[in-house]
Every structure is written in structure tokens, then in C-alpha cells.
Amino acid sequence: MSTATLEKQGKSTTVLTTKIEITTITANSLDITYDTLSGNQPNTFGNQVVLWQNSNEIPFGTPPLQSKIIPSNTQAGSLNFDGLDLNNNSYIVGYAVGPTLNDPAQTYGNICSSSFIPAAGQPNPTNNFEGTIVNVKPGTTSVSFGLENFPNQIDLKGNSAWAAIWQAGAPSFYARPLSAVQITSNNGGAFNNVNIGRGLTYTIAIFMSGYNPTGNSNQETMAAAYTFTN
């Protein structure tokens, strides 16, 4: 396996993420925009946006101020929280690529990206984070990958997050992958015993929950993807 990333080797890559951004906040409302992966059906797949009063970190053990199911199956769009009582504190919203999860998983363990508004009067730098696949290193029979910018306190293993790889130029919510592995570390993982051909194109995707060790894992919770040509 090469020790250099594909980017350092000058190879072609495409990185896809799930994006969310707070665009407007007032005393009683909050507007957000979102942009998910191609082929996603946010309403059918139970995607939701969740709001907390908190620092720039998803507080997984705390009930949110409010949550909303995405009302349509459009890949990208906007959403409004109204009827709120917002003060000068800081707020964070998370985008979940699936419904709430049952114990022992984190209730909002399908959150893969977030947007943060600091307290009034505080600096307002870019505070949008999107879970991303990085540092992909293919070998002849294996591929390793890293993970960055997922929520700090996410328990990917406990939520049954998983990764898939296809010999294809895009990920799929339906087509079965060449290989699937459970995510056991928030830092990344690897596919083993999978043939990686020279000059062929492959795509890796991360799913926030739904891993089934016997096969047919849930492909509706796709959060990020990475396409490369070997």
C-alpha cells in the first residue's frame, strides 16, 4: 500500500459532504440551508435538523430545543425554525442523515455536520463542520481511509456507522457495494481483501448508522463520499 495520499500522487479525486449553514437568526426564528449527497431523499429517509443552545459542539446527551424533519425529498433546500425564544447565547444546529436512534446508540447519532452561531458580541468566524473522508490510500487488495470533522462526541462504533466501497464513479443509496466494514474508530478504517485495479475508479461512502454484519446494511444514512481513480 502506498504511504502517500492520492492527492500527493496527483491522482483525480472527488470529495462529497453533507452541508448545513445557519443563514439568519433573530429573537424568535432561525433560518438554515442544507445540501446533501446526490440521490438522497431527505424526507423519505428521515433526515432532520436539530437545534441546541450550546457551545460549538453537539451535546449528544442533552435534549434539543427543537428538531424538524426535512419536509421534502429535494437534495438541497432551506428550513425555518420559528416560535423560538432565542437570547444572546450561542446555538448549534446539526444535520442528521436519518431518524433518531434507539439505545444504546446516541439518539441523534445520525448527525454528520453542524453549524454554529456564537454568543452575541463574539467573533463570528466560519463555524460550519462537515464529516469528511480524507487520506485515502489504496493498495492492491486493500484501501485505508481517514475521517475528519465529524462531531467531537460522536460514537461511530456505538451507532453502527459503516463504510462501503464500489467500483463506480459515484456512491449509491441502492446498489450493493464491493465491500462493507463497520466503523470502529472515529479516526477512520480500511477495506481488506478487495481487489483494486490500476486505472479504475472507486467510490467510498460513510453511513452514520445501520451496519448489519450479515449483509444488507442500511444505505439510507449516507453522510460523505470520496471518489478516486487508482
Side-chain angles (χ1 to χ4, degrees):
M1 180 181 295
S2 171
T3 58
T5 62
L6 290 162
E7 289 81 3
K8 289 182 178 179
Q9 296 177 51
K11 299 290 184 68
S12 173
T13 63
T14 301
V15 178
L16 302 175
T17 60
T18 298
K19 300 175 176 63
I20 184 171
E21 182 174 5
I22 299 171
T23 55
T24 307
I25 183 170
T26 69
N28 54 22
S29 69
L30 183 147
D31 297 325
I32 66 102
T33 60
Y34 60 89
D35 189 2
T36 67
L37 273 63
S38 178
N40 186 27
Q41 300 181 59
N43 182 261
T44 298
F45 296 161
N47 290 195
Q48 57 185 317
V49 176
V50 192
L51 168 67
W52 285 271
Q53 178 185 311
N54 203 61
S55 58
N56 194 5
E57 185 170 286
I58 300 293
F60 284 101
T62 303
L65 293 177
Q66 197 173 127
S67 63
K68 279 195 173 185
I69 299 293
I70 301 298
S72 75
N73 279 330
T74 304
Q75 168 193 340
S78 60
L79 192 67
N80 171 262
F81 287 96
D82 55 16
L84 300 173
D85 183 16
L86 303 177
N87 52 37
N88 290 334
N89 290 317
S90 56
Y91 295 87
I92 189 167
V93 294
Y95 191 97
V97 290
T100 55
L101 302 175
N102 298 322
D103 286 340
Q106 294 169 312
T107 302
Y108 293 101
N110 277 318
I111 289 178
C112 63
S113 55
S114 64
S115 183
F116 173 71
I117 290 291
Q122 297 299 310
N124 191 19
T126 299
N127 284 302
N128 303 320
F129 293 93
E130 302 136 19
T132 307
I133 301 169
V134 297
N135 298 331
V136 173
K137 297 176 183 178
T140 55
T141 59
S142 64
V143 182
S144 66
F145 59 89
L147 300 174
E148 285 185 354
N149 292 331
F150 286 87
N152 285 340
Q153 302 302 318
I154 194 86
D155 181 7
L156 293 177
K157 181 179 179 180
N159 298 334
S160 295
W162 61 288
I165 186 169
W166 297 262
Q167 184 186 323
S172 176
F173 286 89
Y174 303 101
R176 291 303 175 194
L178 289 176
S179 180
V181 294
Q182 184 176 12
I183 301 296
T184 58
S185 167
N186 284 7
N187 295 321
F191 303 94
N192 295 308
N193 302 315
V194 56
N195 292 323
I196 303 298
R198 179 179 297 182
L200 299 180
T201 298
Y202 297 85
T203 296
I204 298 170
I206 301 299
F207 301 84
M208 299 304 293
S209 64
Y211 179 69
N212 184 343
T214 64
N216 295 325
S217 297
N218 180 8
Q219 292 180 220
E220 295 179 357
T221 62
M222 192 190 303
Y226 183 108
T227 299
F228 66 94
T229 299
N230 189 35

